[in-house]
Amino acid sequence: MPSTTRTNNGVEIPQAGFGVYQIPASRTAETVRTALEAGYRHIDTAQAYGNEAEVGTAIVRSGVPREDVFITTKLNPQRHGYVSTGQELEASLQKLQTSYVDLYLLHWPTPGRDRYLESWRACEDLLAGGKVRSIGVSNLTVADLEWLAGRSETVPAVNQVEIHPSFQQDELRQYHDAHGILTEAWGPIAWGESLKDPTLQVLAEQYGRTPAQLILRWHLQLGNIPLCKSVTPSRIRENLAIFDFRIDAEDMERIATLDGDPKGAPSRTLSAGLPRWQP
Ligand SMILES: NC(=O)c1ccc[n+]([C@@H]2O[C@H](COP(=O)([O-])OP(=O)(O)OC[C@H]3O[C@@H](n4cnc5c(N)ncnc54)[C@H](OP(=O)(O)O)[C@@H]3O)[C@@H](O)[C@H]2O)c1
């Protein structure tokens, strides 16, 4: 079973999450049911994924008590604003068939719209009102986090960012650790690209694991919360069988050397070229 960790406001969060980005709505309920049966208790969705309703249906039908499943959803940046944030959360709650979410994230920054802070204030109020158990951000850099820290007393519970062996984000992770922010890793196996890495393949064989298991275990040992997505039942089970072995320190060091490897998977964050706030 997945181990858990705690957010800076004391909420328990399973250390392996199941992501549902790019799972078509028509396949989401069946896939989430498979994930829950496999033992996942942390589901990561978003308004923008268009499958919150199907996630809700799967959880309700699964018979797993609501309080045993950690549900994250995210606000679409097109709806940033104080009032709209509350309205959009209500819409998400209805779709998810629940009265609260465990984690509410601002999905990505849109400095050009300049309504991020309004949404963050709304998140603070939703947290105080009990509609969300924790609030966080996604796709923020160190500079962005500093920008937010200069304008809000509330430290985000998590920052959900792209991390995989060829894009390890050390500086950002260290900043998170120093400020009590949990690191959630999206694209944890680089959408399958990291599995082709010869170093990781050799190491995986040495541990008697698949490359995906080795990489997801590496995330756990760094303190990340990996959010892996799969629609394939055997892979869903495989990706959760990572809590019964340990990568030794020397091999963690070898994996560290893959950061920035030009032969590794290129970062999608950088290629997206999101605009940033001016300091
Ligand atoms: N906050 C953000 O901006 C953001 C951005 C992107 C993603 N996310 C979150 O992070 C989650 C994961 O990200 P992601 O889907 O981009 O990347 P990912 O989890 O690294 O990769 C998913 C891909 O890997 C394949 N796969 C999964 N397990 C495998 C295994 N054991 N062996 C071989 N292939 C395997 C899947 O194939 P099959 O499905 O065909 O099995 C799928 O094509 C998303 O679902 C979402 O919840 C957040």
Side-chain angles (χ1 to χ4, degrees):
M1 289 300 280
S3 60
T4 62
T5 183
R6 280 189 190 274
T7 63
N8 56 25
N9 65 330
V11 176
E12 194 168 10
I13 173 169
Q15 222 197 331
F18 184 73
V20 299
Y21 175 45
Q22 291 181 324
I23 302 182
S26 59
R27 293 192 68 184
T28 301
E30 121 209 14
T31 306
V32 172
R33 188 190 68 192
T34 304
L36 291 168
E37 284 170 0
Y40 275 106
R41 290 294 179 269
H42 174 170
I43 311 293
D44 183 86
T45 184
Q47 266 193 317
Y49 301 170
N51 55 18
E52 288 171 305
E54 292 73 17
V55 168
T57 298
I59 293 171
V60 168
R61 287 194 187 151
S62 71
V64 179
R66 167 67 188 89
E67 60 273 21
D68 290 353
V69 186
F70 189 99
I71 305 176
T72 302
T73 195
K74 316 184 191 88
L75 177 71
N76 190 326
Q78 303 310 321
R79 298 292 293 150
H80 279 173
Y82 185 87
V83 174
S84 50
T85 298
Q87 290 168 341
E88 297 304 325
L89 175 69
E90 280 304 327
S92 290
L93 294 178
Q94 280 205 2
K95 286 183 181 160
L96 288 161
Q97 300 177 51
T98 181
S99 58
Y100 68 94
V101 287
D102 298 277
L103 176 61
Y104 198 44
L105 299 181
L106 299 186
H107 203 153
W108 67 88
T110 49
R113 285 176 56 81
D114 199 22
R115 304 198 77 175
Y116 195 87
L117 274 183
E118 279 182 55
S119 279
W120 186 244
R121 301 268 181 257
C123 287
E124 293 175 318
D125 290 346
L126 294 167
L127 180 66
K131 294 271 185 186
V132 302
R133 294 179 69 222
S134 56
I135 57 175
V137 295
S138 180
N139 297 303
L140 294 200
T141 62
V142 168
D144 298 335
L145 289 166
E146 288 276 287
W147 178 89
L148 184 60
R151 289 158 180 80
S152 166
E153 300 271 298
T154 309
V155 179
V158 315
N159 185 18
Q160 185 181 119
V161 293
E162 177 186 356
I163 300 182
H164 42 77
S166 53
F167 188 60
Q168 301 190 13
Q169 302 238 51
D170 283 352
E171 187 199 350
L172 183 60
R173 287 190 294 104
Q174 281 163 21
Y175 182 94
H176 292 167
D177 291 348
H179 293 83
I181 301 169
L182 293 175
T183 303
E184 288 194 339
W186 66 254
I189 59 171
W191 40 99
E193 285 300 306
S194 296
L195 310 181
K196 300 174 193 160
D197 184 293
T199 304
L200 296 171
Q201 288 180 345
V202 168
L203 279 177
E205 205 173 322
Q206 282 169 12
Y207 284 90
R209 300 290 167 148
T210 65
Q213 289 172 326
L214 180 92
I215 297 166
L216 294 170
R217 178 72 212 181
W218 166 79
H219 280 285
L220 295 184
Q221 288 183 214
L222 288 182
N224 299 343
I225 299 172
L227 307 165
C228 204
K229 168 264 174 187
S230 176
V231 294
T232 313
S234 59
R235 290 176 176 172
I236 292 172
R237 291 187 285 275
E238 171 189 335
N239 294 347
L240 205 53
I242 55 174
F243 292 93
D244 60 346
F245 76 108
R246 193 160 181 85
I247 303 170
D248 67 32
E250 200 177 313
D251 291 331
M252 288 296 287
E253 285 299 320
R254 286 183 69 189
I255 302 173
T257 66
L258 302 177
D259 189 25
D261 182 351
K263 297 192 293 309
S267 155
R268 290 192 169 174
T269 298
L270 295 181
S271 56
L274 289 168
R276 314 305 327 175
W277 284 285
Q278 297 306 311

